[in-house]
Amino acid sequence: MGLFNLFKSKSGVGGEKRANSAASKWADTAGNKRAQAYDRQEAIAELCKMGTAEAAEGLMRRFSFAIDPSITDQEEKDAAFEGVVAAGHVAIEPVRAFVAKAESLAWPMRIMKELMTDDQLVEEYITWLSRWDTEYSKFVDPKLQILAELEEYEHPSIREAVEPFLQDVNEPARFHAVAATFAQRDPASIPLLVNALIDDESVRVRIKIADTFASLGWEIPADKRAAVRDALPPQFDLVRSGKITKQ
């Protein structure tokens, strides 16, 4: 390596360290709920200018708390959102790291929608969902947010990813899993959905299943019709053809 290249390399490393140090300094303030608003807003603005992964990581900290007044909270989060998105694809890993510990995925989801195609986004959500199981958990908001978001997409990977949650111990999770499963319009889901209709203790879930079966015109398998007829909410009926109708 020539002397010039060696000097250039060392200079570059030093410049990167200085940039990282600056990002860290501003990130501490941007992510400090107790900082003065004008200090926090200055930090957010400086991080937005950097456009680096480190800056994006710092900006993500702003989504971990809320402040009063709500209009200031929204303005700061909007500014942080714009800064993360402007950083481009280098922001994806910082967003993923935030998601792994986040209590809400609303802002990460908004950001990923700006940075990914629909196919990429679905695969990303499925990866996030794979960290969850169907057992009891004290805090399940992120799982519910992912399942609810997957209701908005039709993609070949979604059905198998969400079907296990038809048996979730959490009723809202089962409800969203039903909706996301039906959104795929895949008759391969009929046996599991029929079992859910028969077995689920939630009237809301059974109404959702029955109503969507009626809308899609899917037939109930012959060996399940008696049990389905017994499980149907009062406003539904099972006709001789095996289809559910709504009265």
Side-chain angles (χ1 to χ4, degrees), residues 122-123 126 155-162 184:
V122 167
E123 295 295 347
I126 288 173
H155 188 281
S157 298
I158 293 178
R159 181 177 68 83
E160 291 187 4
V162 302
Q184 309 316 305

Side-chain angles (χ1 to χ4, degrees), residues 106-125:
W107 285 99
M109 284 177 167
R110 282 188 59 186
I111 291 167
M112 289 304 206
K113 286 179 181 179
E114 297 293 328
L115 299 178
M116 293 182 164
T117 66
D118 282 354
D119 285 346
Q120 291 171 333
L121 197 60
V122 167
E123 295 295 347
E124 187 73 18
Y125 290 162

Side-chain angles (χ1 to χ4, degrees), residues 191 194-195 198-199 220-230 238:
V194 168
N195 287 340
I198 295 169
D199 298 332
I220 303 298
D223 62 330
K224 297 287 186 177
R225 291 176 187 175
V228 166
R229 187 174 286 107
D230 290 340
L238 184 66

